[in-house]
């Protein structure tokens, strides 16, 4: 079976980028080990006013330490940090975004959560289409890595020796029939509501877990449209452009799918600020194009 390193060596990736991808994806091992002793909520909130569990903080601090020691990262932005963190001693210039633990409200109920990573050439304040690499580690029954270095999307899983081996090459998202929408139904805006009614009428099946990374992994495999829309009271939506939308949307797009803010390709949007939030529609190409063409989704 092809290992992660063997796969990376078969690509046109720079050596330092290969090292960075391997190093960060290996942090799934200590992060998983930390689950058992970091379950409880702590007395702090992140910059979005969301309660943190100890594992959010632990994963963030662990990944920041990994970046600092690696000397491969010049700047890092995290969902759990208010500012960009600079590493002046770095010998490479990569700029990295992380959602250290996406879906963390599910940790206490033992459902799948993950780490989302985006790598840019020099700055994190870039359009998603400029990502050099994007990947996620999904902590489910298996530890799965979904990766793109702009040469297709590939899945790997950690084996008994804690080595990533390829489980699916050249993932292509099918035109499947799953759907999901975040936010309270009573707060959905009219065009979004109309779109969801269309999906239900067409026989789309509801699948929503509360973990974006786990949901998008499922949609990559089976197809359909996952959404977290603009809603009454929060017209920006909930999810974050830099940490969630761009890396996951880039992976889906590399697999032949699409990500949209409801009107246009979200990967073309330049971030206005670190905590830029954005409505998200991500999944199979056909249904997202239909939505953009036939629904006047509120953005
Ligand atoms: P998190 O990064 O703090 O876990 O927040 C993001 C999560 C996504 O994983 C998920 O899609 C969404 O928030 C769930 O929100 P809600 O609880 O409103 O359904
Ligand atoms: Mg998140």
């Amino acid at each position: 079976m092809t290992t992660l390193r063997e796969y990376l060596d078969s690509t046109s990736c720079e050596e330092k980028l290969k090292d960075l991808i391997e190093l960060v994806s290996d942090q799934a091992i200590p992060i998983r080990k930390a689950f058992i002793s970091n379950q409880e909520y702590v007395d702090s909130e992140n910059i979005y006013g969301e309660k943190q569990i100890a594992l959010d903080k632990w994963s963030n601090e662990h990944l920041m330490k990994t970046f600092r020691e690696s000397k491969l990262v010049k700047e890092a932005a995290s969902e759990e940090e208010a500012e960009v963190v600079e590493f002046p001693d770095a010998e490479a210039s990569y700029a990295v975004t992380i959602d250290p633990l996406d879906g963390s409200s599910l940790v206490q109920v033992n459902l799948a959560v993950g780490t989302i990573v985006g790598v840019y050439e020099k700055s994190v304040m870039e359009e998603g289409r400029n990502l050099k690499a994007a990947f996620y580690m999904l902590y489910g029954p298996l530890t799965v890595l979904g990766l793109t270095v702009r040469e297709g999307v590939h899945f790997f899983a950690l084996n008994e020796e804690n080595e990533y081996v390829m489980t699916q090459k050249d993932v292509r998202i099918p035109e499947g029939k799953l759907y999901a929408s975040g936010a309270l139904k009573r707060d959905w805006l009219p065009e979004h509501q109309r779109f969801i009614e269309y999906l239900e009428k067409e026989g789309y099946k509801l699948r929503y877990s509360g973990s974006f990374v786990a949901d998008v992994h499922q949609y990559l495999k089976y197809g359909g449209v996952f959404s977290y829309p603009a809603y009454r009271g929060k017209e920006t939506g909930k999810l974050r452009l830099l940490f969630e939308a761009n890396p996951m949307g880039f992976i889906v797009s590399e697999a032949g799918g699409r990500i949209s803010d409801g009107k246009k390709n979200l990967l073309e949007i330049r971030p206005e600020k670190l905590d830029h939030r954005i409505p998200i529609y991500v999944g199979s190409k056909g249904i997202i194009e239909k939505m953009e063409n036939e629904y006047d989704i509120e953005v």
Side-chain angles (χ1 to χ4, degrees), residues 179-233:
Y179 84 98
S181 174
L184 293 182
K185 196 169 177 178
R186 65 172 189 219
D187 294 332
W188 290 350
L189 301 174
E191 277 300 278
H192 176 76
Q193 169 108 30
R194 207 164 71 78
F195 177 54
I196 298 295
E197 280 163 8
Y198 165 79
L199 297 174
E200 288 173 342
K201 192 163 65 53
E202 289 298 305
Y204 279 66
K205 188 198 272 186
L206 175 63
R207 288 277 178 88
Y208 183 86
S209 76
S211 165
F212 178 62
V213 62
D215 285 335
V216 174
H217 182 69
Q218 176 171 200
Y219 281 71
L220 261 173
K221 190 97 186 155
Y222 299 137
V225 53
F226 172 96
S227 64
Y228 208 115
Y231 60 94
R232 216 165 285 116

Side-chain angles (χ1 to χ4, degrees), residues 20 24 47 59-90 92-100 116-125 242-243 274:
L20 178 61
V24 178
I47 53 164
S59 311
N60 183 52
E61 281 160 21
H62 179 76
L63 288 169
M64 288 297 174
K65 180 167 171 280
T66 304
F67 295 153
R68 184 175 313 106
E69 289 173 356
S70 75
K71 298 207 166 45
L72 291 168
V73 177
K74 192 92 184 164
E75 64 175 46
S78 166
E79 196 180 293
E80 305 300 332
E81 303 272 354
E83 309 281 345
V84 173
V85 180
E86 311 273 353
F87 302 105
D89 293 341
S93 60
Y94 297 121
V96 177
T97 65
I98 49 168
D99 182 346
I116 306 173
V117 186
V119 184
Y120 295 90
E121 183 85 52
K122 278 193 166 42
S123 163
V124 294
M125 296 303 279
L242 271 82
F243 310 113
L274 219 49

Side-chain angles (χ1 to χ4, degrees), residues 50 79 99 102-104 208 210-212 228 238-240 244:
E50 295 164 350
E79 196 180 293
D99 182 346
D102 182 55
S104 57
Y208 183 86
S211 165
F212 178 62
Y228 208 115
K238 172 183 179 186
L239 296 181
R240 282 130 301 216
E244 289 152 336

Side-chain angles (χ1 to χ4, degrees), residues 28 38 107 141 163 237 265 284:
N38 290 280
V107 166
E163 188 164 32
N265 186 353
S284 309

